Amino acid sequence: MFWNKPMETMGRGEMTNLQSLRLHDTVERIYRQVPYYRNKLQALGLLPEDIAGIEDVGKLPFITKQEMRDNYPYGLFAVPLTEIVRVHASSGTTGKPTVVGYTKRDIGIWSEVMARALTYAGASKHSCIQVAYGYGLFTGGLGVHYGAEMIGASVIPVSSGNTARQIMLMKDFGTTVLACTPSYALYIAETMREMGLEPGDLTLKAGIFGAEPWSERMRQEIEDRLAIKALDIYGLSEIIGPGVANECACQDGLHISEDHFFPEIINPLTGEALPDGEKGELVLTTITKEGMPMVRYRTRDLTVLNRSICDCGRTLARMGKVLGRTDDMLIIRGVNVFPSQVESVLLGLGETSPHYQLIVDREDNLDTLTVLVEVTEEMFSDEVRRLEKLEYKIKEALASVLQVTAKVRLVGPKYIERSEGKAKRVIDNRKI
Ligand SMILES: [Zn+2]
């Protein structure tokens, strides 16, 4: 099922032409209307006419989250506030949030790319879509909401939290599509089981899950426990919110809405462009946005690009599932460690629950990594020998994948705090 077939199946040559025209317009706009960008381009001796087509994108400077903070709140807006109809912000871990603004047309584009995401998941005007992402300054809730309205589905804007009520509404209202973070989807499944409900008691068919990286193993777990098709959705407020890239039923990469967002993969250390298929940091350029265009935004997300035609018939380039973030990446005794690697190992062994947490400390100038892993009630009350054996098994499996030794601590059910949004996977106690 297509939402916008001409765009989703456009030939590569035609897409390149469209992207070239749109990039040129974007560069003109930021040069004229955003002094911060103009200064950056002038510092490199660049004029808008130097960017003739998409092949010139590499001449343009990158922009980072820090630069957004430096321009807080409205310094990167390319239109007067009278043209801005919506403001969102992402919470900074320290200090001020980063702010984004949308014109009426930007909201239309966002709804369009979200309509695609939902259609890829099989949703239509016959669907009942429960939006369990948070509503508010966070883009998740309202992003899915507008896309769901655009396709004419019945929207249940429940927002995040109050899990027992979520489940009651899913059951009573006949929800067919669930949208939330993957960790919250698992939490819902767990609560359902405690309430004595089976997946068959619901009418749920599909879920679109995003806002945090998750593994193939976790997908399997969610699909089994909720008896649904679980699709990945990628987005970030800096670019537009959810809907930048969306998985189709083939579950083999997320189609980037390339007619609006131009993707590149770079080496995060050197900034040089990498060829398709090589893993690196995703850089995105908005080529249609009016309110706050972003040119070569460093997403910090690690992935790969694939421009081959998908089995679904779409020609839109695909990005792999996000493998981690360059700033989520832990460096432990000089070795790069991603929480997603730990998740894959645990789910691969299949003897624990999918809840885990990484704790990093520094003792006598040496980094230590402890992985907390939850086990089931039966397991936890089992004999100590069996638990020790499992601990050892996890430790061995982690060491071979991470190339670094980790302590493993098995903990009882619900020991690790549950989140209704993004799961807190890492506690770094090192004072660096
Ligand atoms: Zn596809």
Side-chain angles (χ1 to χ4, degrees):
M1 263 197 299
F2 297 94
W3 173 254
N4 184 339
K5 199 170 180 189
M7 284 300 171
E8 291 169 39
T9 60
M10 189 175 272
R12 184 49 56 191
E14 212 182 328
M15 179 60 79
T16 303
N17 288 340
L18 181 68
Q19 289 172 330
S20 291
L21 283 172
R22 290 180 167 180
L23 176 69
H24 181 77
D25 288 352
T26 299
V27 174
E28 285 239 302
R29 189 178 311 137
I30 58 168
Y31 192 86
R32 261 188 286 118
Q33 277 151 249
V34 188
Y36 183 78
Y37 266 122
R38 183 163 57 241
N39 292 339
K40 274 178 77 125
L41 295 186
Q42 281 174 344
L44 293 169
L46 278 176
L47 289 169
E49 50 266 39
D50 294 328
I51 310 301
I54 207 76
E55 66 281 2
D56 293 324
V57 73
K59 293 181 183 170
L60 294 161
F62 295 117
I63 192 158
T64 63
K65 192 157 182 117
Q66 185 54 48
E67 290 175 271
M68 291 181 73
R69 287 199 195 99
D70 297 344
N71 284 284
Y72 176 86
Y74 300 149
L76 293 177
F77 285 13
V79 296
L81 268 185
T82 49
E83 300 298 313
I84 295 289
V85 299
R86 179 97 65 79
V87 171
H88 280 284
S90 68
S91 53
T93 38
T94 49
K96 306 276 194 191
T98 47
V99 180
V100 291
Y102 302 74
T103 63
K104 209 167 224 173
R105 186 163 167 268
D106 293 337
I107 295 284
I109 289 167
W110 191 11
S111 309
E112 152 81 21
V113 296
M114 273 310 307
R116 291 183 196 176
L118 291 159
T119 309
Y120 295 3
S124 67
K125 63 178 181 182
H126 303 289
S127 305
C128 214
I129 301 176
Q130 186 153 331
V131 186
Y133 280 115
Y135 280 66
L137 284 177
F138 172 60
T139 49
L142 283 165
V144 179
H145 186 108
Y146 272 58
E149 280 192 353
M150 187 177 250
I151 67 170
S154 314
V155 188
I156 307 170
V158 62
S159 195
S160 62
N162 203 339
T163 310
R165 187 159 150 269
Q166 296 269 3
I167 295 165
M168 179 191 80
L169 296 183
M170 277 201 275
K171 192 165 174 278
D172 297 348
F173 290 8
T175 301
T176 53
V177 178
L178 173 67
C180 61
T181 59
S183 53
Y184 192 50
L186 268 184
Y187 184 45
I188 288 176
E190 194 175 62
T191 310
M192 265 175 62
R193 194 186 291 175
E194 285 167 11
M195 290 166 74
L197 289 169
E198 297 286 323
D201 296 326
L202 302 183
T203 45
L204 213 52
K205 290 189 175 69
I208 53 171
F209 306 119
E212 61 187 16
W214 50 305
S215 60
E216 279 303 328
R217 297 279 186 186
M218 187 145 169
R219 185 206 309 272
Q220 245 164 47
E221 195 83 26
I222 294 173
E223 291 196 332
D224 292 348
R225 290 191 183 195
L226 288 174
I228 58 169
K229 187 124 181 151
L231 298 179
D232 197 356
I233 175 167
Y234 175 80
L236 58 170
S237 64
E238 294 84 346
I239 297 302
I240 205 150
V244 172
N246 312 298
E247 231 172 24
C248 64
C250 302
Q251 296 179 320
D252 186 20
L254 294 82
H255 290 286
I256 300 171
S257 282
E258 277 185 272
D259 45 331
H260 299 291
F261 319 110
F262 181 75
E264 297 170 83
I265 297 286
I266 62 158
N267 176 327
L269 300 174
T270 64
E272 82 182 296
L274 295 176
D276 287 358
E278 264 187 54
K279 180 177 139 187
E281 180 184 340
L282 178 68
V283 170
L284 290 167
T285 298
T286 65
I287 51 177
T288 50
K289 225 163 88 178
E290 295 177 330
M292 195 175 136
M294 275 282 149
V295 170
R296 303 195 86 202
Y297 180 69
R298 303 267 312 242
T299 66
R300 305 275 166 201
D301 289 320
L302 294 170
T303 185
V304 290
L305 275 188
N306 173 2
R307 284 188 173 84
S308 69
I309 299 174
C310 184
D311 288 345
C312 72
R314 288 181 184 86
T315 51
L316 295 173
R318 280 171 284 166
M319 57 182 271
K321 278 180 90 61
V322 171
L323 300 159
R325 287 178 54 79
T326 56
D327 49 7
D328 256 10
M329 184 178 80
L330 288 164
I331 302 180
I332 308 215
R333 280 169 260 150
V335 180
N336 297 347
V337 171
F338 292 101
S340 54
Q341 291 175 300
V342 174
E343 181 178 307
S344 289
V345 167
L346 294 177
L347 292 169
L349 290 173
E351 294 178 48
T352 64
S353 83
H355 300 284
Y356 66 94
Q357 202 161 48
L358 280 67
I359 298 175
V360 191
D361 279 296
R362 182 162 282 183
E363 292 161 16
D364 302 329
N365 292 318
L366 188 69
D367 297 336
T368 61
L369 171 64
T370 307
V371 180
L372 299 186
V373 186
E374 270 190 26
V375 293
T376 58
E377 191 77 65
E378 310 88 73
M379 190 92 190
F380 201 60
S381 50
D382 211 337
E383 54 178 307
V384 177
R385 251 184 74 81
R386 226 184 115 203
L387 285 176
E388 279 174 352
K389 253 174 111 174
L390 179 61
E391 237 172 49
Y392 181 76
K393 199 166 158 190
I394 296 171
K395 202 173 148 181
E396 290 291 289
L398 284 175
S400 77
V401 170
L402 303 181
Q403 306 298 325
V404 64
T405 333
K407 285 181 213 160
V408 174
R409 222 181 101 206
L410 299 180
V411 294
K414 297 277 172 79
Y415 181 91
I416 294 165
E417 200 189 329
R418 299 294 189 264
S419 160
E420 287 157 357
K422 301 184 191 192
K424 188 164 172 55
R425 300 292 194 203
V426 177
I427 297 175
D428 195 340
N429 296 320
R430 290 176 295 185
K431 306 273 179 287
I432 300 173

